[in-house]
Amino acid sequence: MTRPGFRLALFATLLALVVVLLGAYTRLTHAGLGCPDWPGCYGFISVPRTEAQLAHAELRFPDSPVVEHKGRNEMVHRYFAGGLALMIMMLGVQAWHRRHIVDQPVGLPLALVGVVFAQAAFGMWTVTLKLWPQVVTAHLLGGLTTLSLLFLLTVRLNGGFAPMPHIGPHLRRLAAIGLVLVGLQIALGGWVSSNYAAMACTDLPTCQGQWWPEADFANGFHLTQHIGPNYLGGKLDSTARTAIHLDHRIGALLVTFSLLTLAWQLHRAGLKGLASVLVLALAVQIGLGISNVVLHLPLTLAVAHNAGSAALMLTMTFINYRVRPVYAAARRHLPGFWQHAHVLLHLGPHR
């Protein structure tokens, strides 16, 4: 039986997925600076078009000429993100008003409100710091975090997924490790994208015709890059980009081994449906990753690869939720603060 707020949470989750994909599309079409200011576009609420607006934009931003399709991509993403922020705030307000209802999540919707404010800040810094890779990567991770938490809230409000006490701690640890590795691999993917390193290797399974080409890992993962330059197109040399790309490939191998092990253990535990969904999500993402290299990063497949990352993260979120331990009885004897801590740490079903 669904709980109050389920439909709004479900719609917000779907909208969050759209926002994540729009963000990927904006980044991949090099439209991250399609509007050089924030939250408007050249001082307007939409891309300037009239002669007067274009003259005003040229006067205020002489180093950033108006490119209509790039500005449009950026502003569409901002409008959708703004709508999502309003929905999340509605979820937070509703959760607070319903906090007296048994098993009604409160901490998670309020945490989402905090995340969306942080995302707004990262969105602003993405523009004002001119696509500084650290901020771009953090913004991408924040978007997927928002999506995952909304999905988790939707599942909890659905009320149809009870914990499975027969699952042993070994399987729970595998699920938690898999979730962490997927998160780290997505972070590496964000670093690849924000440093324009996707095409540093254009062949498989080798890279630049070698098993281990020259790679500058020190500069590739130099996290204190200067703030100030325009990072559109990237500033790293080819060996640094090669290092980033190679690390993403190595991470993909680790994630594949970890998730296949988890799928096998889920199958052995009788959770064949979860195992099948996990293998399918992993296979699709691997296929998209290989296709992007072989076909030289076509836009459609590149956006689909971002969607695959989201699907894999949501799959791991759901698996961790399903195999979570039952803490309800134990938490009844704990102070309120620690009850909430247990929920956050173990994705528990109660508020």
Short mmCIF file of all heavy atoms in Angstrom, two decimals, residues 128-135 191 195 219 222-232 234-236:
data_model
loop_
_atom_site.label_atom_id
_atom_site.label_comp_id
_atom_site.label_asym_id
_atom_site.label_seq_id
_atom_site.Cartn_x
_atom_site.Cartn_y
_atom_site.Cartn_z
N THR A 128 30.31 30.20 -13.22
CA THR A 128 31.17 31.30 -12.78
C THR A 128 32.64 30.90 -12.72
O THR A 128 33.52 31.74 -12.87
CB THR A 128 30.71 31.81 -11.40
OG1 THR A 128 30.74 30.74 -10.45
CG2 THR A 128 29.29 32.36 -11.47
N LEU A 129 32.91 29.60 -12.50
CA LEU A 129 34.30 29.12 -12.49
C LEU A 129 34.71 28.52 -13.83
O LEU A 129 35.75 27.86 -13.92
CB LEU A 129 34.50 28.10 -11.36
CG LEU A 129 34.24 28.62 -9.94
CD1 LEU A 129 34.52 27.53 -8.91
CD2 LEU A 129 35.08 29.86 -9.65
N LYS A 130 33.86 28.73 -14.84
CA LYS A 130 34.19 28.40 -16.23
C LYS A 130 34.56 26.93 -16.43
O LYS A 130 35.61 26.60 -16.96
CB LYS A 130 35.32 29.31 -16.74
CG LYS A 130 34.96 30.79 -16.69
CD LYS A 130 36.11 31.67 -17.17
CE LYS A 130 35.74 33.15 -17.08
NZ LYS A 130 36.84 34.03 -17.51
N LEU A 131 33.64 26.07 -15.98
CA LEU A 131 33.76 24.62 -16.18
C LEU A 131 34.99 24.04 -15.50
O LEU A 131 35.63 23.11 -16.02
CB LEU A 131 33.77 24.27 -17.67
CG LEU A 131 32.56 24.75 -18.49
CD1 LEU A 131 32.71 24.30 -19.95
CD2 LEU A 131 31.26 24.25 -17.90
N TRP A 132 35.32 24.56 -14.33
CA TRP A 132 36.42 23.99 -13.55
C TRP A 132 36.12 22.51 -13.32
O TRP A 132 35.04 22.17 -12.80
CB TRP A 132 36.52 24.74 -12.23
CG TRP A 132 37.78 24.48 -11.45
CD1 TRP A 132 39.04 24.40 -11.92
CD2 TRP A 132 37.88 24.29 -10.02
NE1 TRP A 132 39.94 24.18 -10.90
CE2 TRP A 132 39.25 24.10 -9.72
CE3 TRP A 132 36.94 24.27 -9.00
CZ2 TRP A 132 39.70 23.88 -8.43
CZ3 TRP A 132 37.40 24.05 -7.70
CH2 TRP A 132 38.77 23.86 -7.43
N PRO A 133 36.98 21.59 -13.72
CA PRO A 133 36.65 20.16 -13.71
C PRO A 133 36.17 19.63 -12.36
O PRO A 133 35.29 18.76 -12.31
CB PRO A 133 37.98 19.49 -14.12
CG PRO A 133 38.65 20.53 -14.96
CD PRO A 133 38.31 21.84 -14.34
N GLN A 134 36.76 20.12 -11.27
CA GLN A 134 36.34 19.65 -9.96
C GLN A 134 34.86 19.94 -9.70
O GLN A 134 34.12 19.10 -9.18
CB GLN A 134 37.20 20.30 -8.85
CG GLN A 134 38.60 19.75 -8.74
CD GLN A 134 39.57 20.36 -9.73
OE1 GLN A 134 39.19 20.83 -10.81
NE2 GLN A 134 40.85 20.36 -9.40
N VAL A 135 34.42 21.14 -10.08
CA VAL A 135 33.03 21.52 -9.86
C VAL A 135 32.11 20.78 -10.83
O VAL A 135 31.03 20.33 -10.44
CB VAL A 135 32.87 23.05 -10.02
CG1 VAL A 135 31.40 23.44 -10.08
CG2 VAL A 135 33.54 23.76 -8.85
N TRP A 191 35.06 12.71 -14.28
CA TRP A 191 36.39 13.29 -14.45
C TRP A 191 36.86 13.16 -15.90
O TRP A 191 37.49 14.07 -16.45
CB TRP A 191 37.37 12.63 -13.49
CG TRP A 191 38.66 13.35 -13.30
CD1 TRP A 191 39.90 12.90 -13.63
CD2 TRP A 191 38.86 14.65 -12.72
NE1 TRP A 191 40.86 13.83 -13.30
CE2 TRP A 191 40.25 14.91 -12.73
CE3 TRP A 191 38.00 15.60 -12.19
CZ2 TRP A 191 40.79 16.10 -12.25
CZ3 TRP A 191 38.53 16.79 -11.70
CH2 TRP A 191 39.91 17.03 -11.73
N ASN A 195 37.30 16.63 -18.19
CA ASN A 195 38.63 16.90 -18.73
C ASN A 195 38.76 16.51 -20.20
O ASN A 195 39.87 16.47 -20.73
CB ASN A 195 39.69 16.16 -17.90
CG ASN A 195 39.94 16.81 -16.55
OD1 ASN A 195 40.61 17.84 -16.47
ND2 ASN A 195 39.40 16.22 -15.50
N ASN A 219 49.53 14.54 -13.37
CA ASN A 219 48.78 15.69 -13.87
C ASN A 219 47.33 15.34 -14.19
O ASN A 219 46.44 16.19 -14.09
CB ASN A 219 49.45 16.26 -15.13
CG ASN A 219 50.65 17.11 -14.79
OD1 ASN A 219 50.65 17.84 -13.80
ND2 ASN A 219 51.70 17.02 -15.59
N HIS A 222 45.58 15.74 -10.89
CA HIS A 222 46.01 16.92 -10.13
C HIS A 222 44.76 17.72 -9.77
O HIS A 222 44.20 18.43 -10.60
CB HIS A 222 46.97 17.75 -10.98
CG HIS A 222 47.49 18.98 -10.30
ND1 HIS A 222 48.09 18.95 -9.06
CD2 HIS A 222 47.49 20.27 -10.68
CE1 HIS A 222 48.44 20.17 -8.71
NE2 HIS A 222 48.07 21.01 -9.68
N LEU A 223 44.31 17.58 -8.52
CA LEU A 223 43.01 18.12 -8.13
C LEU A 223 43.04 19.58 -7.71
O LEU A 223 42.03 20.13 -7.30
CB LEU A 223 42.43 17.28 -6.98
CG LEU A 223 42.20 15.80 -7.30
CD1 LEU A 223 41.60 15.07 -6.10
CD2 LEU A 223 41.32 15.62 -8.53
N THR A 224 44.19 20.20 -7.82
CA THR A 224 44.28 21.62 -7.42
C THR A 224 44.59 22.49 -8.65
O THR A 224 45.41 23.39 -8.59
CB THR A 224 45.36 21.82 -6.35
OG1 THR A 224 46.61 21.31 -6.82
CG2 THR A 224 44.99 21.11 -5.06
N GLN A 225 43.93 22.16 -9.74
CA GLN A 225 44.09 22.98 -10.95
C GLN A 225 43.66 24.42 -10.66
O GLN A 225 42.78 24.66 -9.84
CB GLN A 225 43.23 22.40 -12.08
CG GLN A 225 43.65 21.00 -12.50
CD GLN A 225 42.64 20.37 -13.44
OE1 GLN A 225 41.56 20.90 -13.63
NE2 GLN A 225 42.98 19.22 -13.99
N HIS A 226 44.28 25.35 -11.33
CA HIS A 226 44.02 26.76 -11.08
C HIS A 226 42.59 27.14 -11.44
O HIS A 226 42.03 26.67 -12.43
CB HIS A 226 44.99 27.63 -11.87
CG HIS A 226 46.42 27.48 -11.45
ND1 HIS A 226 46.85 27.79 -10.18
CD2 HIS A 226 47.51 27.03 -12.13
CE1 HIS A 226 48.15 27.55 -10.10
NE2 HIS A 226 48.58 27.08 -11.27
N ILE A 227 42.00 28.00 -10.62
CA ILE A 227 40.69 28.56 -10.92
C ILE A 227 40.92 29.84 -11.72
O ILE A 227 41.75 30.66 -11.37
CB ILE A 227 39.92 28.88 -9.63
CG1 ILE A 227 39.64 27.59 -8.85
CG2 ILE A 227 38.62 29.60 -9.92
CD1 ILE A 227 39.00 27.82 -7.51
N GLY A 228 40.18 29.98 -12.80
CA GLY A 228 40.31 31.21 -13.59
C GLY A 228 40.25 30.97 -15.07
O GLY A 228 39.46 31.62 -15.77
N PRO A 229 41.05 30.02 -15.62
CA PRO A 229 40.98 29.81 -17.07
C PRO A 229 39.63 29.23 -17.48
O PRO A 229 38.91 28.64 -16.68
CB PRO A 229 42.11 28.78 -17.32
CG PRO A 229 42.97 28.82 -16.11
CD PRO A 229 42.09 29.21 -14.97
N ASN A 230 39.31 29.39 -18.75
CA ASN A 230 38.12 28.76 -19.31
C ASN A 230 38.48 27.31 -19.65
O ASN A 230 39.34 27.06 -20.49
CB ASN A 230 37.68 29.52 -20.57
CG ASN A 230 36.36 29.02 -21.12
OD1 ASN A 230 36.01 27.86 -20.96
ND2 ASN A 230 35.63 29.91 -21.76
N TYR A 231 37.82 26.35 -18.99
CA TYR A 231 38.18 24.95 -19.16
C TYR A 231 37.39 24.27 -20.26
O TYR A 231 37.43 23.04 -20.39
CB TYR A 231 38.00 24.19 -17.84
CG TYR A 231 39.14 24.43 -16.88
CD1 TYR A 231 39.07 25.44 -15.93
CD2 TYR A 231 40.29 23.64 -16.93
CE1 TYR A 231 40.12 25.66 -15.04
CE2 TYR A 231 41.35 23.86 -16.05
CZ TYR A 231 41.26 24.88 -15.11
OH TYR A 231 42.30 25.09 -14.25
N LEU A 232 36.62 25.02 -21.06
CA LEU A 232 35.90 24.44 -22.17
C LEU A 232 36.90 23.82 -23.15
O LEU A 232 37.80 24.48 -23.65
CB LEU A 232 35.08 25.52 -22.89
CG LEU A 232 34.20 25.03 -24.04
CD1 LEU A 232 33.12 24.08 -23.54
CD2 LEU A 232 33.56 26.21 -24.78
N GLY A 234 39.02 21.54 -22.23
CA GLY A 234 40.06 20.94 -21.42
C GLY A 234 41.40 21.65 -21.54
O GLY A 234 41.69 22.29 -22.55
N LYS A 235 42.21 21.51 -20.49
CA LYS A 235 43.53 22.14 -20.45
C LYS A 235 44.67 21.14 -20.33
O LYS A 235 45.83 21.51 -20.39
CB LYS A 235 43.60 23.12 -19.28
CG LYS A 235 42.67 24.32 -19.39
CD LYS A 235 43.05 25.22 -20.54
CE LYS A 235 42.16 26.44 -20.62
NZ LYS A 235 42.48 27.28 -21.80
N LEU A 236 44.34 19.86 -20.12
CA LEU A 236 45.39 18.86 -19.89
C LEU A 236 46.01 18.41 -21.21
O LEU A 236 45.36 18.43 -22.26
CB LEU A 236 44.81 17.65 -19.17
CG LEU A 236 44.22 17.92 -17.77
CD1 LEU A 236 43.66 16.62 -17.18
CD2 LEU A 236 45.28 18.50 -16.84
#
